[in-house]
């Protein structure tokens, strides 16, 4: 049976992720409540504004269901999605979901270059030599615990990392033509 990949659709650029999932021939579902979440085999938390996201997650009673989901099923978080999944972050009035043991700093690239496109280096066997990272008011991963594996770098900065079932990126793979990262998530973490 084909797997259903949910995209948390409370806010942010969820539609783009769903497009990529459809291109990779998986079923996708916009998740806005517990009923939809229960139908999913994996979930994507998109970029957007982490404060707004967490506010809505709490208002809709999704915090506990999401934490339970992320203890066993695969979740990919990009940009604000990463902030939401982190163990610790600065500048946020909400507790993140603590599903991956790393620490982030929000908007850490500053105002001048708060959005930019740059080549990143993927540390995955068989990965393309060149991958374009789209960074939009991106957070920085400032600390990772030993059970978290760095998977990509921009200079010295870790820009993608994973534990056994949670994959996070500080950039937006859904905004590039290259489907490698979504495909990696689906083949390594979901199927
Ligand atoms: N700066 C945003 C935040 O702190 C994240 C930006 C993004 O998701 N593109 O939530």
């Amino acid at each position: 049976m084909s797997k259903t990949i949910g995209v948390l659709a409370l806010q942010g650029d969820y539609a783009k992720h769903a497009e990529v999932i459809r291109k990779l021939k998986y079923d996708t579902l916009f998740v806005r409540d517990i009923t939809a979440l229960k139908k999913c085999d994996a979930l994507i938390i998109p970029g957007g504004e982490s404060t707004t996201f967490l506010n809505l997650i709490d208002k809709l009673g999704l915090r506990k269901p999401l934490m339970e989901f992320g203890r066993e099923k695969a979740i990919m978080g990009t940009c604000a999605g990463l902030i939401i999944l982190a163990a610790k972050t600065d500048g946020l009035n909400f507790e993140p979901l603590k599903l991956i043991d790393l620490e982030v700093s929000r908007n850490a690239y500053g105002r001048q270059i708060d959005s930019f496109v740059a080549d990143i280096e993927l540390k995955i066997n068989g990965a393309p030599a060149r991958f374009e990272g789209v960074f939009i008011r991106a957070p920085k991963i400032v600390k990772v615990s030993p059970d978290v594996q760095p998977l990509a770098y921009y200079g010295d900065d870790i820009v993608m990392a994973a534990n056994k079932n949670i994959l996070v990126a500080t950039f937006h793979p859904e905004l590039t033509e290259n489907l490698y990262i979504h495909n990696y998530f689906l083949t390594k973490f979901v199927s």
Side-chain angles (χ1 to χ4, degrees):
M1 215 181 75
S2 93
K3 306 249 174 169
T4 300
I5 316 302
V7 183
L8 192 63
L10 305 179
Q11 201 258 335
D13 78 332
Y14 52 84
K16 278 275 169 203
H17 280 285
E19 251 174 57
V20 177
I21 295 301
R22 269 185 231 113
K23 275 189 196 160
L24 292 167
K25 309 274 182 248
Y26 280 73
D27 291 334
T28 181
L29 189 69
F30 288 139
V31 173
R32 299 189 174 96
D33 55 33
I34 301 171
T35 316
L37 185 64
K38 284 193 174 145
K39 293 183 184 146
C40 300
D41 299 294
L43 184 73
I44 295 177
I45 306 185
E49 190 58 44
S50 48
T51 318
T52 315
F53 251 120
L54 283 162
N55 188 12
L56 289 168
I57 284 172
D58 283 340
K59 273 202 177 123
L60 296 167
L62 283 171
R63 178 175 285 266
K64 206 165 156 245
L66 283 171
M67 287 175 78
E68 281 166 9
F69 188 97
R71 276 187 207 116
E72 34 188 276
K73 292 184 178 167
I75 305 184
M76 171 160 91
T78 58
C79 206
L82 150 68
I83 298 169
I84 291 163
L85 292 164
K88 201 171 165 205
T89 172
D90 60 356
L92 205 63
N93 292 329
F94 295 87
E95 282 285 298
L97 300 182
K98 303 183 197 297
L99 286 167
I100 182 162
D101 197 2
L102 51 74
E103 201 176 318
V104 292
S105 177
R106 292 178 69 207
N107 304 321
Y109 289 96
R111 279 177 187 227
Q112 260 73 37
I113 51 159
D114 59 3
S115 299
F116 59 98
V117 178
D119 278 2
I120 61 168
E121 202 186 330
L122 293 168
K123 299 280 186 195
I124 301 169
N125 278 342
R130 207 182 145 262
F131 192 91
E132 199 175 60
V134 179
F135 295 86
I136 304 171
R137 300 205 306 118
K140 251 187 210 184
I141 296 172
V142 289
K143 206 167 160 189
V144 295
S145 83
D147 72 323
V148 174
Q149 197 191 355
L151 293 171
Y153 287 86
Y154 165 57
D156 290 335
D157 297 341
I158 299 169
V159 293
M160 186 163 98
N163 63 18
K164 64 179 200 331
N165 63 315
I166 310 283
L167 173 70
V168 289
T170 64
F171 56 95
H172 288 261
E174 77 285 5
L175 296 180
T176 42
E177 292 298 309
N178 193 332
L179 308 183
Y180 178 80
I181 288 173
H182 284 80
N183 195 39
Y184 176 74
F185 174 65
L186 295 170
T187 51
K188 291 278 180 211
F189 293 80
V190 185
S191 45

